[in-house]
PDB file of all heavy atoms in Angstrom:
ATOM      1  N   ALA A  97      96.575  60.353 -99.050  1.00 82.00           N
ATOM      2  CA  ALA A  97      95.502  60.171 -98.070  1.00 82.00           C
ATOM      3  C   ALA A  97      94.379  59.305 -98.636  1.00 82.00           C
ATOM      4  O   ALA A  97      93.837  58.438 -97.945  1.00 82.00           O
ATOM      5  CB  ALA A  97      94.959  61.537 -97.636  1.00 82.00           C
ATOM      6  N   ALA A  98      94.046  59.504 -99.916  1.00 79.00           N
ATOM      7  CA  ALA A  98      92.944  58.765-100.537  1.00 79.00           C
ATOM      8  C   ALA A  98      93.277  57.297-100.782  1.00 79.00           C
ATOM      9  O   ALA A  98      92.391  56.446-100.768  1.00 79.00           O
ATOM     10  CB  ALA A  98      92.533  59.431-101.848  1.00 79.00           C
ATOM     11  N   THR A  99      94.549  56.996-101.008  1.00 75.00           N
ATOM     12  CA  THR A  99      94.931  55.632-101.374  1.00 75.00           C
ATOM     13  C   THR A  99      95.540  54.847-100.220  1.00 75.00           C
ATOM     14  O   THR A  99      95.663  53.635-100.301  1.00 75.00           O
ATOM     15  CB  THR A  99      95.954  55.645-102.530  1.00 75.00           C
ATOM     16  OG1 THR A  99      97.121  56.349-102.102  1.00 75.00           O
ATOM     17  CG2 THR A  99      95.369  56.260-103.779  1.00 75.00           C
ATOM     18  N   GLY A 100      95.963  55.545 -99.171  1.00 74.00           N
ATOM     19  CA  GLY A 100      96.593  54.874 -98.050  1.00 74.00           C
ATOM     20  C   GLY A 100      98.017  54.425 -98.328  1.00 74.00           C
ATOM     21  O   GLY A 100      98.619  53.713 -97.540  1.00 74.00           O
ATOM     22  N   ARG A 101      98.569  54.867 -99.427  1.00 77.00           N
ATOM     23  CA  ARG A 101      99.927  54.458 -99.820  1.00 77.00           C
ATOM     24  C   ARG A 101     100.953  55.288 -99.061  1.00 77.00           C
ATOM     25  O   ARG A 101     100.806  56.490 -98.914  1.00 77.00           O
ATOM     26  CB  ARG A 101     100.104  54.666-101.323  1.00 77.00           C
ATOM     27  CG  ARG A 101     101.488  54.425-101.854  1.00 77.00           C
ATOM     28  CD  ARG A 101     101.736  52.934-102.111  1.00 77.00           C
ATOM     29  NE  ARG A 101     102.805  52.770-103.057  1.00 77.00           N
ATOM     30  CZ  ARG A 101     102.655  52.638-104.359  1.00 77.00           C
ATOM     31  NH1 ARG A 101     101.462  52.649-104.899  1.00 77.00           N
ATOM     32  NH2 ARG A 101     103.697  52.496-105.127  1.00 77.00           N
ATOM     33  N   GLN A 102     101.992  54.637 -98.607  1.00 73.00           N
ATOM     34  CA  GLN A 102     103.086  55.327 -97.943  1.00 73.00           C
ATOM     35  C   GLN A 102     104.070  55.833 -98.991  1.00 73.00           C
ATOM     36  O   GLN A 102     104.609  55.042 -99.753  1.00 73.00           O
ATOM     37  CB  GLN A 102     103.790  54.365 -96.964  1.00 73.00           C
ATOM     38  CG  GLN A 102     104.908  55.000 -96.176  1.00 73.00           C
ATOM     39  CD  GLN A 102     104.434  56.103 -95.255  1.00 73.00           C
ATOM     40  OE1 GLN A 102     103.372  56.045 -94.685  1.00 73.00           O
ATOM     41  NE2 GLN A 102     105.231  57.137 -95.115  1.00 73.00           N
ATOM     42  N   MET A 103     104.256  57.118 -99.053  1.00 86.00           N
ATOM     43  CA  MET A 103     105.215  57.717 -99.985  1.00 86.00           C
ATOM     44  C   MET A 103     105.997  58.790 -99.258  1.00 86.00           C
ATOM     45  O   MET A 103     105.479  59.447 -98.376  1.00 86.00           O
ATOM     46  CB  MET A 103     104.492  58.373-101.169  1.00 86.00           C
ATOM     47  CG  MET A 103     103.799  57.431-102.087  1.00 86.00           C
ATOM     48  SD  MET A 103     103.142  58.358-103.492  1.00 86.00           S
ATOM     49  CE  MET A 103     101.948  57.205-104.094  1.00 86.00           C
ATOM     50  N   LYS A 104     107.243  58.939 -99.674  1.00 91.00           N
ATOM     51  CA  LYS A 104     108.090  59.999 -99.133  1.00 91.00           C
ATOM     52  C   LYS A 104     108.347  61.001-100.243  1.00 91.00           C
ATOM     53  O   LYS A 104     108.552  60.625-101.394  1.00 91.00           O
ATOM     54  CB  LYS A 104     109.429  59.432 -98.655  1.00 91.00           C
ATOM     55  CG  LYS A 104     109.337  58.402 -97.557  1.00 91.00           C
ATOM     56  CD  LYS A 104     109.311  58.962 -96.179  1.00 91.00           C
ATOM     57  CE  LYS A 104     110.622  59.546 -95.772  1.00 91.00           C
ATOM     58  NZ  LYS A 104     110.599  60.226 -94.508  1.00 91.00           N
ATOM     59  N   LEU A 105     108.338  62.278 -99.898  1.00 92.00           N
ATOM     60  CA  LEU A 105     108.558  63.347-100.863  1.00 92.00           C
ATOM     61  C   LEU A 105     109.934  63.960-100.633  1.00 92.00           C
ATOM     62  O   LEU A 105     110.325  64.211 -99.496  1.00 92.00           O
ATOM     63  CB  LEU A 105     107.475  64.414-100.713  1.00 92.00           C
ATOM     64  CG  LEU A 105     106.027  63.923-100.747  1.00 92.00           C
ATOM     65  CD1 LEU A 105     105.066  65.095-100.584  1.00 92.00           C
ATOM     66  CD2 LEU A 105     105.735  63.164-102.017  1.00 92.00           C
ATOM     67  N   PHE A 106     110.646  64.195-101.737  1.00 95.00           N
ATOM     68  CA  PHE A 106     111.982  64.784-101.668  1.00 95.00           C
ATOM     69  C   PHE A 106     112.098  65.894-102.704  1.00 95.00           C
ATOM     70  O   PHE A 106     111.433  65.862-103.742  1.00 95.00           O
ATOM     71  CB  PHE A 106     113.058  63.717-101.931  1.00 95.00           C
ATOM     72  CG  PHE A 106     113.149  62.712-100.831  1.00 95.00           C
ATOM     73  CD1 PHE A 106     112.414  61.541-100.896  1.00 95.00           C
ATOM     74  CD2 PHE A 106     113.944  62.938 -99.720  1.00 95.00           C
ATOM     75  CE1 PHE A 106     112.470  60.605 -99.872  1.00 95.00           C
ATOM     76  CE2 PHE A 106     114.010  62.009 -98.699  1.00 95.00           C
ATOM     77  CZ  PHE A 106     113.272  60.843 -98.770  1.00 95.00           C
ATOM     78  N   ASN A 107     112.972  66.842-102.422  1.00 94.00           N
ATOM     79  CA  ASN A 107     113.193  67.946-103.360  1.00 94.00           C
ATOM     80  C   ASN A 107     113.917  67.490-104.618  1.00 94.00           C
ATOM     81  O   ASN A 107     113.621  67.948-105.707  1.00 94.00           O
ATOM     82  CB  ASN A 107     113.971  69.087-102.691  1.00 94.00           C
ATOM     83  CG  ASN A 107     113.151  69.791-101.642  1.00 94.00           C
ATOM     84  OD1 ASN A 107     111.941  69.932-101.774  1.00 94.00           O
ATOM     85  ND2 ASN A 107     113.799  70.219-100.578  1.00 94.00           N
ATOM     86  N   THR A 108     114.891  66.587-104.444  1.00 95.00           N
ATOM     87  CA  THR A 108     115.696  66.173-105.591  1.00 95.00           C
ATOM     88  C   THR A 108     115.653  64.654-105.769  1.00 95.00           C
ATOM     89  O   THR A 108     115.425  63.901-104.817  1.00 95.00           O
ATOM     90  CB  THR A 108     117.174  66.590-105.434  1.00 95.00           C
ATOM     91  OG1 THR A 108     117.768  65.819-104.379  1.00 95.00           O
ATOM     92  CG2 THR A 108     117.320  68.079-105.162  1.00 95.00           C
ATOM     93  N   GLU A 109     115.920  64.240-106.988  1.00 95.00           N
ATOM     94  CA  GLU A 109     115.982  62.813-107.315  1.00 95.00           C
ATOM     95  C   GLU A 109     117.073  62.124-106.500  1.00 95.00           C
ATOM     96  O   GLU A 109     116.873  61.015-106.007  1.00 95.00           O
ATOM     97  CB  GLU A 109     116.257  62.680-108.808  1.00 95.00           C
ATOM     98  CG  GLU A 109     116.377  61.284-109.300  1.00 95.00           C
ATOM     99  CD  GLU A 109     116.695  61.246-110.783  1.00 95.00           C
ATOM    100  OE1 GLU A 109     115.962  61.842-111.589  1.00 95.00           O
ATOM    101  OE2 GLU A 109     117.709  60.605-111.118  1.00 95.00           O
TER     102      GLU A 109
END
Side-chain angles (χ1 to χ4, degrees):
T99 61
R101 174 83 158 266
Q102 182 64 36
M103 292 185 199
K104 299 273 290 174
L105 308 180
F106 291 92
N107 291 326
T108 69
E109 179 182 305

